[in-house]
Amino acid sequence: MHSEPTKVLFIGATGYIGGSILVAFSQKHPEFCYAALVRNPGDNTAIEKLDVRIIQGSTSDIRLIESEVSEHDIIVNCANADDLSLAKAIVDGLSRRVAGSGKKGTRKPMYIHTSGTGVVKDQPTGAFQGGKIYDDDNEEDIRSIGPNQPHRNVDLLIFNAGDTGAIETYIIAPSTIYGTGRGPVRNSTSRYQLAPHPTKLYAVIHKMALPLQVNGMIRIALKEKEVLRVGAGTNEWNNVHIDDLMDLYTLVLDLALSDTRIPNSSYARFFWGSAHTHVWGEVAKDLAVFMYRKGLVDSDEVKSVTVSEYPELIGVATNSRTVANRGLRVLGWKPTGRSLKETLEEEIDLTLSQTLR
C-alpha cells in the first residue's frame, strides 16, 4: 500500500520571496504535492506551470485558509510578517489537522513562517548605535526580543504553538534581501509599487521594509534627482542574496523532514537569514556613483535628510544586527551569492524599467 504524498501549501507564492522558495522546494522535492493561495487570477497560469494547484483567495479569507491548511502537511507562509490573523488561521488549521477534524497525515504538521530581522531594529536616526548583536544559536537572545518590536506578536504566537508539541514550527527571519528572484511571478523587488502619499508610503514600508529597502532608495533618488540617506548614514544592517536565502529555506526544510535532529524548543527552530553586513550610508554612496554615471541623478554626492522629512526612508534609517550561527554552524549554510554592492547596478536597471512602465 502506497502512502499519500506530502502536501505542501504556499501562502505568498506570487511574491519575490515566496515564489523563489516555491521553486527551490519543488526542485528539491518534486515528489511532493504543492498548492498555493493566489489572489489574482491573472497569476494562475504562471503558478500552474510549476505543477501547483491553485487555491483562489486572499490572505483575508480566514475560513478558507484554515480549511485548506487543515488538509496539508507543511505550510510555508511568505506573506505579510505582521498579519496576526493569517498566522492564527494557519495555527488553527494545523491544530484542526492534529485533532482530526481535518485530514490526518502520517507526520506531525509543520509551519515554516517568514519573519524578518526588523524584529530587532532600533530607532530610525541613521546613526550607528552599537548595542546587541542577536545570535540565533543562543535561545536567550531570541527570547529577549521585546514584545512590542515589529513582527514580534506574530512570532510569539508561532513560538507558543510550536511549544505545544503538536505542531512543528520554524521561523526564518531574512535581513535585507537583494538579487533577481527565481519565482514564477515577481522576480525583483522593484515590482512592488510604493504608495505616492507619504503617510500611506510609511505604512507600506513598515510592513514590507525588507524587500523595499534598496529599491525604495532608488525610487526616491529617481524622483528627487539625488540620492538620500538618513542622518549620518552610519547605521548597519545585514543582508542576504535571494539565492542564498533559497538555500537556507531548503536546509530548514531538510531539518524539518529529518527524524533525529529536530530541536524540542521552538526558539531553537528560529533562523536569521543574515549572510553579510552593510552600512546604509555606504550603500547610498555607491548608488549615487552608479546613478550619476547613468545620468539618473544630478550629482554623485549624497544628501543627508531626516525621517520626518522622508518617512519613506524609515526602512534604511535603523540598525538591525544579527548573526546566523544556527544556519551557518548547525545546518551548514554556506552563502555564496554576489555581494549587495555587486548587484546595485542591476537593481537600478530593474527599478528603472518598472518605473518607466
Side-chain angles (χ1 to χ4, degrees), residues 27-313:
Q27 289 178 344
K28 181 69 180 290
H29 290 283
E31 74 278 13
F32 290 175
C33 288
Y34 295 91
L37 181 73
V38 179
R39 179 183 60 82
N40 184 356
D43 293 331
N44 289 0
T45 300
I47 298 292
E48 287 173 333
K49 286 180 179 178
L50 295 177
D51 196 22
V52 175
R53 180 174 67 89
I54 301 296
I55 300 169
Q56 209 77 64
S58 74
T59 53
S60 61
D61 294 326
I62 299 303
R63 289 186 180 180
L64 171 66
I65 291 169
E66 185 176 330
S67 175
E68 288 290 343
V69 164
S70 72
E71 298 293 325
H72 289 79
D73 302 294
I74 302 173
I75 311 301
V76 184
N77 181 12
C78 296
N80 189 343
D82 294 308
D83 194 333
L84 185 63
S85 296
L86 172 60
K88 187 176 186 302
I90 294 171
V91 169
D92 289 347
L94 291 176
S95 298
R96 278 179 54 185
R97 186 171 183 79
V98 171
S101 56
K103 183 177 176 60
K104 282 190 176 181
T106 57
R107 65 170 72 248
K108 186 183 296 187
M110 303 173 192
Y111 178 10
I112 301 175
H113 176 78
T114 304
S115 182
T117 61
V119 72
V120 295
K121 71 180 182 180
D122 56 18
Q123 295 302 306
T125 65
F128 179 69
Q129 299 178 30
K132 188 175 183 63
I133 299 176
Y134 290 82
D135 183 350
D136 60 4
D137 203 22
N138 183 338
E139 281 192 51
E140 290 309 310
D141 276 10
I142 307 307
R143 291 180 183 273
S144 71
I145 298 170
N148 296 321
Q149 288 290 102
H151 320 321
R152 189 59 170 173
N153 60 337
V154 176
D155 289 356
L156 289 173
L157 171 75
I158 297 168
F159 285 134
N160 291 337
D163 279 341
T164 66
I167 302 169
E168 268 180 32
T169 58
Y170 299 83
I171 298 177
I172 301 172
S175 49
T176 298
I177 310 168
Y178 63 94
T180 302
R182 309 297 179 183
V185 180
R186 293 179 180 85
N187 289 325
S188 73
T189 58
S190 61
R191 290 289 298 274
Y192 294 98
Q193 299 298 314
L194 300 185
H197 189 275
T199 302
K200 294 179 181 178
L201 187 55
Y202 177 93
V204 172
I205 289 283
H206 179 72
K207 290 181 179 180
M208 304 177 64
L210 294 178
L212 285 174
Q213 287 169 306
V214 173
N215 298 101
M217 293 177 72
I218 296 169
R219 287 178 181 274
I220 295 165
L222 289 171
K223 178 183 177 182
E224 301 294 332
K225 296 299 180 182
E226 60 184 340
V227 176
L228 308 179
R229 70 163 192 256
V230 175
T234 54
N235 51 313
E236 289 186 359
W237 265 67
N238 300 108
N239 60 67
V240 61
H241 193 285
I242 186 65
D243 288 351
D244 292 326
L245 187 62
M246 291 167 65
D247 290 342
L248 177 60
Y249 272 80
T250 302
L251 288 169
V252 171
L253 178 63
D254 289 343
L255 171 66
L257 295 173
S258 70
D259 295 324
T260 58
R261 298 186 297 145
I262 301 172
N264 290 326
S265 169
S266 63
Y267 286 86
R269 300 193 296 268
F270 179 96
F271 303 85
W272 296 123
S274 300
H276 310 288
T277 302
H278 65 271
V279 176
W280 280 115
E282 295 301 318
V283 174
K285 286 182 182 179
D286 292 333
L287 283 175
V289 170
F290 294 143
M291 295 184 75
Y292 181 67
R293 187 183 301 160
K294 293 173 180 289
L296 300 174
V297 293
D298 296 333
S299 169
D300 61 0
E301 297 296 317
V302 178
K303 180 181 178 180
S304 176
V305 298
T306 65
V307 168
S308 60
E309 293 173 304
Y310 288 88
E312 58 266 52
L313 287 174

